[in-house]
Amino acid sequence: MNTEPHDHDDGHDDGHGDGHDHEHDDHAPTREDDDIELTEREATFLALKSLLIEQGIVTAEEIRKRMEFNERGSPHQAARMIAKAWLDPHYKTRMIDDTKAAAAELGIETTEAELVTLENTPDRHNIVVCTLCSCYPRSLLGEPPAFYVSKAYRSRAVREPRQVLKEFGVDIPQSVDIAVHDSNADLRYVVMPMRPAGTDAMSEAELAALISRDCVVGCALPSEPGGN
Amino acid sequence: MADKLITDIGGEAAGDVPRDDYNMLFWEKQMIATFNLLQTKQHVVTDEYRRIVEEMPADYYKNSTFYGRRLEGIVALVIEKAIIDREALEERTKAILEAGTRDHV
């Protein structure tokens, strides 16, 4: 775990502008859009970035480092935590009590002001939405899925969650309550799915592999053992 | 009761939820990183960004994309806060588009 300072939205600043800026560093090495024509929108951003750099507001190196940090966010981080919780009841209790601290135990630094674990049970399935914008625990999970930020999901998840889940291929029986959690800038969620049956002999890594990105917002269930 | 905010769409009727994933473009990743830096350096705060999005014209908001809206919001904020000069930004954008290349910035 590093020791960089936090912010209170979805990331943090390394604070180490070292005066050794290579403005061209950020062109290398993976420009997945090099074969895409420059759009007015991209040009606007490039203009904004160059002006911010010229004015000393940010440096190219800071942007590069921040991109590197942002790339660390991945659903696999939450999957590791959940798999550990499935195997270790004490860790599970700690994760539910203080999700940020439980993440830190695994070397995962989270920058969300507050992060809450929602445990699915036989009686209750949890799903997460941000109706007003796109609040999502990015430092833990990375950028949100496209559906999560879509206006259709934001609109419908709170009105007809069972139907939305059905359209996602997740049939929640009527006997199970669905709790919808609306995120905000200061409070973000991770769903802890129920451990699938038939996984008693599985290792932590094998269990983690059953947990997808959509599981941790409640829009999918863990894979069955032996499935893909 | 006051009109709802344009962003307050929870509970409204809507069509199918799109399931295709979106692969962020390189500049969009740079933009998010730049936005994060503006926040951590306290040039902008999250609530300001939210307010600027809420003030967007309803038609624009309705048809906007997530990353498009993020760009428009950042640009509007840095201009409003006099961090960046609007004319300088427009001139630089025009020059980049005319050059048609990413390589000089």
Side-chain angles (χ1 to χ4, degrees), chain A residues 26-187:
Chain A
D26 52 359
H27 285 203
T30 50
R31 289 297 302 260
E32 54 269 68
D33 45 352
D34 261 349
D35 57 348
I36 295 174
E37 196 176 336
L38 186 66
T39 60
E40 184 167 353
R41 197 171 272 171
E42 179 178 356
T44 301
F45 169 69
L46 293 175
L48 173 68
K49 174 168 75 89
S50 66
L51 289 168
L52 289 170
I53 291 171
E54 278 174 20
Q55 293 182 27
I57 308 275
V58 297
T59 69
E61 179 69 359
E62 285 171 335
I63 295 173
R64 190 189 64 72
K65 284 185 177 173
R66 180 62 201 221
M67 287 174 75
E68 211 170 85
F69 173 78
N70 287 353
E71 296 281 340
R72 285 186 223 161
S74 155
H76 184 63
Q77 299 196 119
R80 281 175 57 211
M81 294 172 68
I82 293 162
K84 185 174 174 62
W86 282 347
L87 290 171
D88 178 350
H90 298 294
Y91 182 79
K92 180 177 172 180
T93 301
R94 295 200 295 280
M95 183 172 168
I96 290 168
D97 284 350
D98 186 343
T99 305
K100 285 171 67 71
E105 280 187 45
L106 302 190
I108 300 165
E109 180 168 5
T110 52
T111 57
E112 284 70 27
E114 191 173 357
L115 194 53
V116 167
T117 298
L118 306 164
E119 183 188 9
N120 285 349
T121 69
D123 302 320
R124 184 181 174 101
H125 180 87
N126 296 285
I127 77 166
V128 181
V129 63
C130 174
T131 60
L132 284 175
C133 45
S134 57
C135 296
Y136 187 77
R138 287 174 170 78
S139 68
L140 181 65
L141 302 180
E143 281 290 299
F147 79 78
Y148 184 87
V149 302
S150 73
K151 297 186 188 77
Y153 181 75
R154 290 167 47 199
S155 297
R156 294 180 57 210
V158 289
R159 179 190 176 108
E160 43 179 355
R162 206 175 294 272
Q163 175 60 26
V164 169
L165 288 175
K166 193 173 176 188
E167 290 166 14
F168 279 52
V170 179
D171 264 314
I172 303 295
Q174 288 292 338
S175 58
V176 177
D177 288 337
I178 297 181
V180 183
H181 302 266
D182 200 352
S183 314
N184 62 51
D186 299 321
L187 175 58

Side-chain angles (χ1 to χ4, degrees), chain A residues 7 9-13 23-24 26-27 30-34 36-52 54-55 57-58 62-63 66-67 70-71 131-135 138 143 146-147 149-156 158-159 164 167-168 185 213-214, chain B residues 7-22 24-27 29-41 43 46 50 60-72 74-75 78 83-85 88-89 92-93 96-97 100-105:
Chain A
D7 64 24
D9 181 40
D10 47 14
H12 72 193
D13 179 14
E23 292 201 7
H24 290 269
D26 52 359
H27 285 203
T30 50
R31 289 297 302 260
E32 54 269 68
D33 45 352
D34 261 349
I36 295 174
E37 196 176 336
L38 186 66
T39 60
E40 184 167 353
R41 197 171 272 171
E42 179 178 356
T44 301
F45 169 69
L46 293 175
L48 173 68
K49 174 168 75 89
S50 66
L51 289 168
L52 289 170
E54 278 174 20
Q55 293 182 27
I57 308 275
V58 297
E62 285 171 335
I63 295 173
R66 180 62 201 221
M67 287 174 75
N70 287 353
E71 296 281 340
T131 60
L132 284 175
C133 45
S134 57
C135 296
R138 287 174 170 78
E143 281 290 299
F147 79 78
V149 302
S150 73
K151 297 186 188 77
Y153 181 75
R154 290 167 47 199
S155 297
R156 294 180 57 210
V158 289
R159 179 190 176 108
V164 169
E167 290 166 14
F168 279 52
R213 175 196 70 184
D214 296 355
Chain B
T7 54
D8 188 8
I9 60 175
E12 290 184 0
D16 290 345
V17 176
R19 298 302 312 281
D20 285 344
D21 281 326
Y22 176 76
M24 287 174 79
L25 298 171
F26 186 82
W27 77 263
K29 294 178 187 173
Q30 286 188 314
M31 173 182 69
I32 295 295
T34 304
F35 179 63
N36 295 148
L37 288 168
L38 291 173
Q39 289 176 304
T40 54
K41 289 167 176 265
H43 292 290
T46 305
R50 177 167 305 125
Y60 171 82
Y61 182 82
K62 194 175 169 190
N63 297 312
S64 62
T65 62
F66 179 64
Y67 294 107
R69 199 158 62 234
R70 182 63 58 106
L71 175 68
E72 295 295 329
I74 297 169
V75 165
V78 294
I83 297 168
I84 293 292
D85 177 68
L89 181 65
R92 184 68 58 91
T93 304
I96 290 170
L97 278 171
T101 173
R102 302 171 172 95
D103 290 344
H104 65 294
V105 288

